[in-house]
Every structure is written in C-alpha cells, then in structure tokens.
Amino acid sequence: MSTQMSVSTSEKVTSDRRQEGQTAELPWIEHADKLAPKDARALSKLFFDRLQTLEEGTREHAYARNTLIEMNMSLVHFSARRFRSRGPEEMEDIIQVGTIGLIKAIDRFDLSREVEFTTFAVPYIVGEMKRFFRDTSWAVHVPRRLQELRVELAKARDHLTAAHGAPPTVGELAAHLKITEDEVIEGLIASNGYTADSIDLPSGDGEDDDGRSYADTLGAEDPAMELLEDFHTLAPMLHRLDDRERLLLELRFGQEMTQAEIGAAIGCSQMHVSRLLSRILAKLRAGMLAEH
C-alpha cells in the first residue's frame, strides 16, 4: 500500500473492516506506521479528538492510542538522527527511549492548546533520549546532581576561558556558578567518572613508552601477608608449649630432620615422635581456629 495515499482513500479507511473494539467514528488503518507525514498529521487530529472522549482502559481507547503511536513513530526516527554519531549499536536503545517520550507526549497532548502535535512531541522525545544518555553514558555510577554539575562546570569553564583568555581557577568557577569551592572540586573529581580507559593501555606517552600497561603498574596481593598474620597469631601459642614440645617443632620444622632422626636424637621411636608431633600440631591448629 502506497504511503502517499490521501486520508479519503478506500485502502486506508474502510467502513466494512472493523476490528473488535474499534468505534464507528474512527477508521481502521492497516499500516499506520507507513503513512505519509501529511496524512499522519491529519489523522492524528481526528484520533486525538476522539481519544479525549473515550474511557481509558477500553478497547476503543487502546485502539486510538496505539494507532497514534504507530502514526507518529516517524517523529522518533527523525529525532534520533541527531544522535547517529553514537553508532548503530546504540540506535536501537535510542529508538526505544524515544518511543517512551512519544507515548508521554500523546498522553499529555491537548487539542485545545492549538499547538501542532509535532511541535509538542519532539521536546518530549528528545528529552527522553538525553535523559537516557545522562543516566547510562557514565563509566561509573555518579549521583544525578554531580552529573548535572559536570555539565554546568563545562559551560562555565568554556565561558570564562573565552572571556579571560585563560582557564579559570576553582575560585572563579565557584564565583561564576555561585557555589562553594568544595562543590566545584567535588564536581571536577566526579567528572573523571564520565569515561574510562582499559588498564591494558600503554602507560607511556608514546615516545618514552617502556611497553608496560597500566595493569603492569598495579600491585598484587602478597601471599606472605597472610603468613604474617598466621605467624602473629601462632607466636603466643608457641610460648605456651613446654620445652620438649618446642624442641620437637624446632627439630622437625626448623632443622627439617626426619621423624627417624628426631627419634634417634631424643631417644624414642619414630612412631612415638609421630604421635607427639600430631598432638602438638592438633593443639596449635585448634588454637589458630579459635583465634580466627
């Protein structure tokens, strides 16, 4: 069906093709999203006029509202063009949030204002798109007030730089925006969260680059730190052992002697040494677990 058909063409308006819930006053439109802009504007006035008299929640109201959405989707696609530089991967999300703006505009539009629906709807659509960017474009989560402050600081910085020929100080920014210097500093710090770079990027400036990435400069957890904590907990327990128990531990773990060698040194069997060491280690292990 051609998108250039007039409102009166029989293909678009047929009295004998009524869906359930359609009213006698509203025509059945087969492909509302393919109407020419001129036809969409004319039919929108008819549907808005009827929508105001229909009870919300009825099939008739749903048909009128849904048809208005389909007829005016071209406004969403038109508004999305200004953001095409963000790439095709974001365009689907932009269209979705723009459709939310269109629905809000339809629900709030009043014919008595004598304003074209196009003029009324576009700010709603673009507003939803900008709100989407504001809420999702930051690399890390930042409170809304700081997101808005970032924009104000950027405008103030550009204005003062142009006026004075040099970048403004924190004090000048605070005076211009009539906020405290602490708030300016907070906003500048928060601005660092707008974008994020991979830690695998080279850390050099290109000339003196030593091949290391930012990830290479990050510290790693030292396994010896956990041992240090264990030794700190173990020390008082060792002092509570008797001389013979400490001697056995020294021979086994300090001098790394075998159980047979220990038995020969203290005059007992290897089996007895094994039982003594097991009992000592069990005592220390229980004490360690109790401390943790």
Side-chain angles (χ1 to χ4, degrees):
M1 183 174 62
S2 173
T3 60
Q4 302 299 321
M5 295 181 296
S6 65
V7 177
S8 60
T9 55
S10 59
E11 290 86 357
K12 184 168 53 183
V13 180
T14 57
S15 59
D16 59 342
R17 298 181 62 187
R18 306 290 183 184
Q19 266 195 341
E20 182 180 9
Q22 178 186 352
T23 64
E25 294 84 353
L26 290 177
W28 166 246
I29 302 178
E30 186 70 25
H31 298 290
D33 59 329
K34 296 182 180 180
L35 291 175
K38 180 179 179 181
D39 294 339
R41 285 195 297 270
L43 277 172
S44 290
K45 292 180 180 179
L46 172 64
F47 274 74
F48 273 121
D49 183 62
R50 184 70 183 110
L51 187 65
Q52 294 176 349
T53 65
L54 294 173
E55 182 179 354
E56 188 173 351
T58 62
R59 290 190 179 92
E60 294 86 350
H61 184 278
Y63 167 70
R65 184 171 180 266
N66 291 339
T67 304
L68 279 168
I69 294 172
E70 293 180 21
M71 283 193 297
N72 290 282
M73 278 300 296
S74 60
L75 296 178
V76 176
H77 291 279
F78 171 78
S79 301
R81 291 176 189 170
R82 68 177 67 185
F83 304 112
R84 59 180 175 268
S85 61
R86 290 181 173 268
E89 63 278 359
E90 284 197 49
M91 191 54 60
E92 183 177 351
D93 291 334
I94 295 173
I95 294 298
Q96 288 181 359
V97 297
T99 303
I100 294 174
L102 173 63
I103 294 172
K104 289 181 178 180
I106 289 173
D107 291 341
R108 299 171 185 177
F109 184 65
D110 187 352
L111 279 174
S112 63
R113 297 179 181 180
E114 297 184 355
V115 176
E116 285 289 336
F117 177 68
T118 300
T119 304
F120 180 82
V122 169
Y124 275 92
I125 296 170
V126 175
E128 285 295 323
M129 293 175 177
K130 289 183 176 180
R131 187 175 297 109
F132 166 74
F133 297 137
R134 182 183 63 195
D135 293 343
T136 62
S137 296
W138 287 71
V140 297
H141 176 71
V142 174
R144 178 71 56 82
R145 66 178 183 84
L146 293 179
Q147 294 181 23
E148 295 172 350
L149 180 57
R150 170 187 172 274
V151 176
E152 295 300 321
L153 285 171
K155 293 179 180 178
R157 187 186 296 109
D158 291 343
H159 173 76
L160 293 174
T161 299
H164 301 154
T169 64
V170 170
E172 290 171 339
L173 287 170
H176 181 78
L177 295 175
K178 298 180 180 179
I179 58 178
T180 66
E181 292 188 10
D182 287 342
E183 289 176 307
V184 172
I185 293 172
E186 185 181 19
L188 293 174
I189 293 174
S191 298
N192 294 329
Y194 187 72
T195 57
D197 292 327
S198 171
I199 62 173
D200 293 321
L201 288 175
S203 58
D205 58 6
E207 297 178 358
D208 301 325
D209 191 359
D210 57 4
R212 293 192 306 166
S213 67
Y214 287 103
D216 295 329
T217 65
L218 298 177
E221 183 177 349
D222 189 347
M225 291 300 296
E226 187 174 348
L227 288 177
L228 178 62
E229 294 179 0
D230 291 340
F231 289 150
H232 181 74
T233 305
L234 184 61
M237 297 180 188
L238 292 175
H239 288 296
R240 290 196 288 268
L241 297 176
D242 59 35
D243 292 341
R244 187 185 188 191
E245 290 173 329
R246 286 198 294 271
L247 174 61
L248 286 171
L249 291 178
E250 167 62 24
L251 295 176
R252 179 70 183 91
F253 300 105
Q255 300 183 26
E256 298 184 349
M257 294 172 60
T258 66
Q259 292 180 1
E261 292 171 339
I262 295 172
I266 64 176
C268 64
S269 68
Q270 177 183 346
M271 183 66 68
H272 187 57
V273 171
S274 177
R275 286 198 297 266
L276 289 174
L277 285 172
S278 296
R279 187 170 60 198
I280 296 169
L281 294 176
K283 184 192 300 186
L284 294 176
R285 190 176 295 110
M288 292 282 290
L289 292 175
E291 288 292 330
H292 287 295

